[in-house]
Amino acid sequence: MMTEWVNRIDGINSRTDLVAFVRTLAKDFCAQDAGWSNRTADDYLEALAAWLDESDGYYGYRGEPPVLTNMKWRQLAEMLLAATMYE
């Protein structure tokens, strides 16, 4: 299952691709047998925070540079906040 998701991530090259990925992720979350470890918003967001905190180790394990150093963190925060009220 995880390999399928990684393959989808590898194909994200645009905003449209990311929108489609997030929508697929949302549908998967709603599936009763999705097998997600984090089944509530608070658990999911806490796991996101923990992963972001440890992401250098993830990329290091894969033999990749810590690519998140070039992210625009404020934009990600704006997206997460906007989703709390956007309908």
Side-chain angles (χ1 to χ4, degrees), residues 1-2 11 16-17 28 31 44 51-52 71 73 79 83-84:
M1 177 73 172
M2 186 58 74
T16 302
D17 294 342
D28 189 70
Y44 184 77
W51 188 90
L52 286 169
M71 274 190 74
W73 297 105
M79 291 176 212
T84 68

Side-chain angles (χ1 to χ4, degrees), residues 28-54:
D28 189 70
F29 177 82
C30 291
Q32 292 294 333
D33 60 346
W36 284 46
S37 297
N38 302 302
R39 296 292 304 165
T40 63
D42 57 326
D43 287 345
Y44 184 77
L45 290 170
E46 182 56 39
L48 175 61
W51 188 90
L52 286 169
D53 193 37
E54 299 293 328

Side-chain angles (χ1 to χ4, degrees), residues 6 8 38 44 57 72 82-83:
V6 171
R8 290 179 187 198
N38 302 302
Y44 184 77
K72 294 188 177 182

Side-chain angles (χ1 to χ4, degrees), residues 8-70:
R8 290 179 187 198
I9 290 171
D10 287 343
I12 296 174
N13 297 304
S14 68
R15 180 190 334 196
T16 302
D17 294 342
L18 182 57
V19 168
F21 175 79
V22 171
R23 287 188 171 141
T24 301
L25 201 61
K27 287 179 187 173
D28 189 70
F29 177 82
C30 291
Q32 292 294 333
D33 60 346
W36 284 46
S37 297
N38 302 302
R39 296 292 304 165
T40 63
D42 57 326
D43 287 345
Y44 184 77
L45 290 170
E46 182 56 39
L48 175 61
W51 188 90
L52 286 169
D53 193 37
E54 299 293 328
S55 62
D56 288 350
Y58 167 80
Y59 289 107
Y61 176 78
R62 293 172 48 123
E64 299 176 16
V67 296
L68 295 182
T69 57
N70 296 323

